[in-house]
Amino acid sequence: MTKKTLTTEQKEEVVMLIQKNKLRLAVYIRSQFKDISDSDMEDCFQNLFLRIYDKYNDFQKSPNKTG
């Protein structure tokens, strides 16, 4: 199994997409987990980045992507 890597441009795209939607994501996460700590919230953003990273090609085709 080969390790999948994204280009620097693709990584930056994922980071910018998360940053652009961070407030909206934070509101959603807090609505789902009322007592979430700030550090757990950051963990959620890191996990989100990793999930998008792993599924980048599928994510690029998603009609629900907000960019």
Side-chain angles (χ1 to χ4, degrees):
M1 176 184 248
T2 59
K3 185 174 181 179
K4 179 179 22 175
T5 58
L6 299 181
T7 66
T8 300
E9 236 176 44
Q10 291 169 325
K11 290 177 191 174
E12 289 174 2
E13 178 185 4
V14 172
V15 170
M16 292 301 295
L17 185 62
I18 291 172
Q19 289 298 326
K20 183 178 179 181
N21 293 286
K22 197 166 189 173
L23 179 60
R24 182 183 302 170
L25 291 165
V27 168
Y28 175 76
I29 293 167
R30 289 205 187 275
S31 75
Q32 299 300 306
F33 306 98
K34 304 285 188 219
D35 297 326
I36 192 169
S37 68
D38 290 341
S39 64
D40 286 341
M41 177 73 77
E42 284 305 314
D43 288 345
C44 286
F45 287 120
Q46 289 174 6
N47 285 332
L48 177 61
F49 174 85
L50 292 173
R51 290 191 68 162
I52 293 172
Y53 186 99
D54 287 340
K55 304 286 186 182
Y56 184 81
N57 290 331
D58 295 336
F59 178 75
Q60 281 299 100
K61 298 173 191 168
S62 172
N64 297 324
K65 182 176 78 168
T66 302

